[in-house]
Amino acid sequence: MDKSMMIGEEELKDVAGGMVVYADGLPEFDPTCPWEVVENNNCRVLGKFPSQAAACQFAKSFGPESYNAQLTDIPTVIRLRTNPQGNG
């Protein structure tokens, strides 16, 4: 996993969990790492990955909650970026 595609350890400590999205259609889309893990509350990018499996593995590292590694879609990401939930 390319560490330059992830946020830093200091920022990770405040993350509630991560959802997985195929980012084609989002401004930050990178065809070499098209799968992203985005924060549950505000869809901030936590990491970019070349495969869905790698993204899911990273997302599951945030804990056993059912929403970690949950697949989401572009409209949901855009909605949450526009209207963050919780501490977003």
Side-chain angles (χ1 to χ4, degrees), residues 1 4 16 18-19 21-22 25-26 29 31 34 40 45 51 57 61-62 64 69-71 87:
M1 154 177 17
S4 68
M19 297 183 293
V21 64
Y22 186 76
L26 293 173
F29 178 68
N40 293 335
V45 177
S51 71
Q57 181 179 1
S61 72
F62 293 106
Q70 174 181 328
L71 292 179
N87 295 330

Side-chain angles (χ1 to χ4, degrees), residues 44-65:
R44 170 177 61 143
V45 177
L46 301 175
K48 296 182 177 187
F49 302 87
S51 71
Q52 180 180 356
C56 286
Q57 181 179 1
F58 179 69
K60 288 178 182 176
S61 72
F62 293 106
E65 293 81 6

Side-chain angles (χ1 to χ4, degrees), residues 2 5 23 28-36 48-51:
D2 184 351
M5 298 288 194
E28 72 276 5
F29 178 68
D30 176 354
T32 64
C33 290
W35 290 95
E36 294 181 359
K48 296 182 177 187
F49 302 87
S51 71

